[in-house]
Amino acid sequence: MKKRLFAGAVLAMSTGLIACGQNSSQPQATQATPAPTTAPASTEAPTTEAAPKTEVVTGEGEGYGGPVKAEVTLDGDKIVDLKLTGEKETPTIGGAALETLQAAIIEKGGLDGVDAVAGATWTSNGAFDAVRSAMGIEAEERPGGEQKAVGAAGLFHGIGFASNGRLGPGKDDKDTGVYSMNEVIAYVLFGDDGTILDLEVDQLEVATPNYDGDHMPHLTGFPGQSYNADENHDEKVDAVLEQTDDTFLAEVDSWATKRERGDTYKLNSGTWADEMDMFEEMFRGMTVEEVKQWYKDCCSDLNGRPLHGTSDKDEDVKKYEALTADQKSALDAVSGATMSLNDAHGNLIAAIEKAYEYRRPVEAATVAKIGLGITNTGRLGPGKDDKETGVYSFNTQAVGACYNEEGRIIAMFTDVMEVATPNYDGEHMPHLTGFPGQSYNGDEDHDEKVDTVLEQTEDTFLAEIEAWATKRERGDTYKLNSGTWTDEMDLFEGFFAGMTTDEVSAWYETACSDLNGRPLHGTSDKEEDVKKYEALTDEQKQELDGISGATMSLRDPHGDILGAIEKAWVAAKTTNIAVGQ
């Protein structure tokens, strides 16, 4: 399990030291003992121990917008004066929080008993860390970093995708709407009774380039389309971007998930990853139905966020007051998690539910690590429609894997979301016309002829994304030469079981085509493929016979599956699952 810093939220270490200092650091004055009457009177003045001098120390922590600096005046271990500054904090939120914390810390003489300011947890944590840094106290790791052993009679795993569109937030200064697409992906391990043993959830959010937030992945549209752009994130449109083949590929290649965005994706109480980790920890031991019931009982009907008793909305107040004492106590376990589990930003509950729906058995005695890797690729083609307009698609590949203590793959679960322009003539392909206001040729009856030009509206935008289905979800409708996409992917997954990720990568380099990323079965007439196949040993050729029915590419514009396998291992976290117990 990943170790996470719990900056500011847990004060046990620092407050213990400070409290101890407040009780013992003030020296006691001692008076000289009078000399005996039989001895000469001392000519020296009575001595007392000198009171400690104050000292000023400085430290720094990471606030919401940037560094928070602390100038701490100490009298022994007691804070007698403090100056907190955060030049990049929002004045009305972070700046106000620093003033509140500054006064509270001086009043208490330390961090003991000082709580984070509601709505500015990140800034508060930065202030606490700045004070600790000044005093030479390190941040404490979050308790519970080691996951307890979990036993299960049987083991299953699954990946679930949940996609939705978002209208907003708002419009740019040219009155053009801001929009985004969201894909939540959950990799979940279940016991034979449906209990969640462990899980990893990540999300890809992609917005129009007029979104003013820094570090947000964006899409201008498909080649030939255009959109307003706020390139320096100052809430003003700087340019109208014209999408080309090259910029389309570059945009998709640069997409990063919310976990990959790390500290750049900040919420009030921490990063997106921090909050998601809290939810994951809470959901372990529940069934999917119990997760759904908890969400129904304990989250807002207005925005899908956990009810912490802090909302002033009548509906939220009534719902929170109706909770039992046990339910309120359980909410304390995710007191730092405030994001929604189901809103226009993404439906995390649905992704977990889908992972259960598509689960498959895993043969293993123990699981030491699990990982989730996600890659994105853009594709030019195949070809053009009968009006000479290009066909394009983007692909999101997800690989969930569990590993033994040696890092060998126990089992993999792979799925891909492929989304094409609506002039693609294949039936059952998910498509996107573009963002609201954009348009594209449409082949609605899949006869290789354009029937109409689709004009994207807000309603059609939401409907298109809601209808997206992954390659596994498409089932028998996604056929390859040797079977369905699912059939072939199952062959690869079985073949890779028992290998390390490095061994999978080395096998790919040795046994797959440099032209198209497909396994070399000795059937290609391309000179490069023929030479590479002939260089294989007899043993390597026999290994390839084990996946003779798998002919699709593991790395091409259709999707970088190998990259997702490699990312899953890089992101793998420690777990502790024993099967058959």
Side-chain angles (χ1 to χ4, degrees):
M1 183 181 198
K2 291 176 287 192
K3 292 184 178 180
R4 306 152 187 144
L5 288 180
F6 197 54
V10 177
L11 304 179
M13 176 179 69
S14 63
T15 54
L17 289 172
I18 294 169
C20 178
Q22 289 172 329
N23 290 335
S24 61
S25 65
Q26 300 298 327
Q28 301 297 317
T30 57
Q31 296 181 348
T33 304
T37 55
T38 55
S42 174
T43 59
E44 296 182 4
T47 60
T48 59
E49 294 182 13
K53 296 180 180 179
T54 60
E55 61 173 329
V56 177
V57 290
T58 60
E60 187 173 299
E62 183 64 25
Y64 185 86
V68 171
K69 298 180 180 180
E71 183 180 284
V72 185
T73 303
L74 293 171
D75 184 350
D77 289 332
K78 183 179 180 180
I79 296 174
V80 294
D81 199 7
L82 173 65
K83 183 179 180 182
L84 292 172
T85 56
E87 294 178 357
K88 295 186 178 181
E89 298 304 292
T90 307
T92 57
I93 301 175
L98 292 179
E99 291 181 5
T100 300
L101 292 168
Q102 185 172 288
I105 293 170
I106 294 172
E107 180 184 352
K108 297 288 186 180
L111 298 179
D112 191 14
V114 179
D115 296 324
V117 175
T121 310
W122 190 290
T123 301
S124 301
N125 290 344
F128 294 144
D129 280 350
V131 173
R132 290 193 184 97
S133 172
M135 298 177 69
I137 302 171
E138 294 182 1
E140 188 179 57
E141 287 185 358
R142 182 180 180 181
E146 295 298 327
Q147 187 178 334
K148 294 180 180 178
V150 177
L155 182 62
F156 296 78
H157 71 159
I159 272 187
F161 277 68
S163 305
N164 65 280
R166 183 186 181 206
L167 309 179
K171 298 181 178 182
D172 60 33
D173 66 321
K174 303 298 183 184
D175 210 34
T176 298
V178 176
Y179 303 98
S180 66
M181 308 173 294
N182 297 273
E183 289 185 347
V184 180
I185 304 172
Y187 176 59
V188 191
L189 270 62
F190 302 95
D192 57 338
D193 60 353
T195 299
I196 295 171
L197 304 178
D198 211 341
L199 72 165
E200 185 74 342
V201 181
D202 205 348
Q203 182 174 346
L204 178 67
E205 180 180 17
V206 180
T208 48
N210 60 343
Y211 181 86
D212 56 31
D214 201 4
H215 304 288
M216 170 71 80
H218 69 260
L219 179 68
T220 300
F222 291 107
Q225 295 178 326
S226 62
Y227 217 88
N228 288 356
D230 177 5
E231 296 184 307
N232 60 357
H233 313 292
D234 64 351
E235 301 184 15
K236 295 180 181 179
V237 171
D238 308 299
V240 176
L241 298 180
E242 304 287 342
Q243 192 77 297
T244 67
D245 286 0
D246 289 342
T247 57
F248 169 67
L249 295 179
E251 282 185 348
V252 176
D253 185 60
S254 70
W255 289 353
T257 68
K258 290 187 175 181
R259 285 194 180 276
E260 289 173 329
R261 290 163 64 184
D263 288 348
T264 68
Y265 198 106
K266 296 175 180 177
L267 303 175
N268 285 337
S269 59
T271 66
W272 184 93
D274 291 335
E275 292 208 8
M276 192 64 245
D277 289 344
M278 292 181 195
F279 284 121
E280 289 175 0
E281 198 164 317
M282 182 174 187
F283 293 157
R284 292 187 189 99
M286 293 185 183
T287 64
V288 172
E289 289 303 315
E290 288 170 341
V291 170
K292 290 166 62 179
Q293 189 63 50
W294 174 84
Y295 173 79
K296 181 179 178 181
D297 292 340
C298 298
C299 293
S300 169
D301 296 327
L302 301 176
N303 56 30
R305 298 175 181 175
L307 292 168
H308 295 305
T310 55
S311 173
D312 59 359
K313 304 294 184 183
D314 287 343
E315 299 95 323
D316 290 343
V317 171
K318 288 180 181 179
K319 192 169 185 180
Y320 181 77
E321 290 176 347
L323 297 177
T324 65
D326 287 343
Q327 287 174 319
K328 290 178 181 177
S329 178
L331 277 165
D332 290 341
V334 288
S335 59
T338 59
M339 70 181 182
S340 177
L341 291 167
N342 180 14
D343 68 357
H345 261 112
N347 191 342
L348 285 74
I349 301 296
I352 295 171
E353 188 173 11
K354 279 193 175 183
Y356 182 72
E357 180 182 350
Y358 289 96
R359 71 194 185 282
R360 301 194 314 241
V362 175
E363 297 296 327
T366 60
V367 177
K369 288 180 178 290
I370 67 167
L372 173 62
I374 298 169
T375 57
N376 300 283
T377 54
R379 184 186 183 204
L380 308 180
K384 298 181 179 181
D385 60 32
D386 66 322
K387 303 297 184 183
E388 287 298 303
T389 298
V391 175
Y392 303 96
S393 65
F394 55 82
N395 301 268
T396 298
Q397 297 74 224
V399 170
C402 46
Y403 310 88
N404 66 16
E405 291 182 352
E406 298 175 346
R408 296 192 174 277
I409 297 166
I410 296 171
M412 280 174 40
F413 199 113
T414 308
D415 208 348
V416 175
M417 181 72 77
E418 181 179 18
V419 179
T421 48
N423 60 343
Y424 182 85
D425 56 33
E427 196 173 4
H428 305 289
M429 170 70 81
H431 69 260
L432 180 70
T433 300
F435 292 107
Q438 294 179 327
S439 61
Y440 216 87
N441 289 355
D443 177 5
E444 296 183 309
D445 56 2
H446 313 292
D447 64 352
E448 302 183 16
K449 295 180 181 179
V450 172
D451 307 301
T452 185
V453 175
L454 299 176
E455 303 288 341
Q456 190 77 297
T457 68
E458 291 187 343
D459 288 342
T460 58
F461 171 67
L462 296 178
E464 281 184 348
I465 297 177
E466 186 178 356
W468 288 356
T470 68
K471 292 185 176 182
R472 284 194 180 275
E473 290 172 328
R474 290 162 63 186
D476 291 344
T477 68
Y478 198 111
K479 295 177 180 178
L480 302 176
N481 290 334
S482 59
T484 67
W485 183 92
T486 297
D487 293 335
E488 290 209 11
M489 196 65 246
D490 288 348
L491 288 174
F492 280 118
E493 290 172 348
F495 182 69
F496 294 149
M499 294 186 185
T500 65
T501 300
D502 285 344
E503 289 171 347
V504 172
S505 300
W507 172 85
Y508 173 85
E509 292 297 326
T510 302
C512 291
S513 168
D514 296 327
L515 301 177
N516 56 30
R518 297 175 181 175
L520 294 167
H521 293 304
T523 56
S524 173
D525 60 0
K526 303 294 184 183
E527 183 177 353
E528 299 95 323
D529 289 345
V530 171
K531 287 183 178 179
K532 193 169 185 179
Y533 181 76
E534 289 177 347
L536 296 176
T537 65
D538 290 341
E539 183 179 356
Q540 288 171 326
K541 291 177 181 177
Q542 287 177 354
E543 284 181 348
L544 280 165
D545 290 342
I547 52 168
S548 59
T551 60
M552 69 180 182
S553 178
L554 291 171
R555 175 169 275 169
D556 73 353
H558 256 114
D560 185 4
I561 293 172
L562 178 65
I565 294 171
E566 293 168 339
K567 279 191 173 184
W569 175 243
V570 171
K573 65 181 182 183
T574 301
T575 190
N576 195 354
I577 299 171
V579 185
Q581 298 183 14

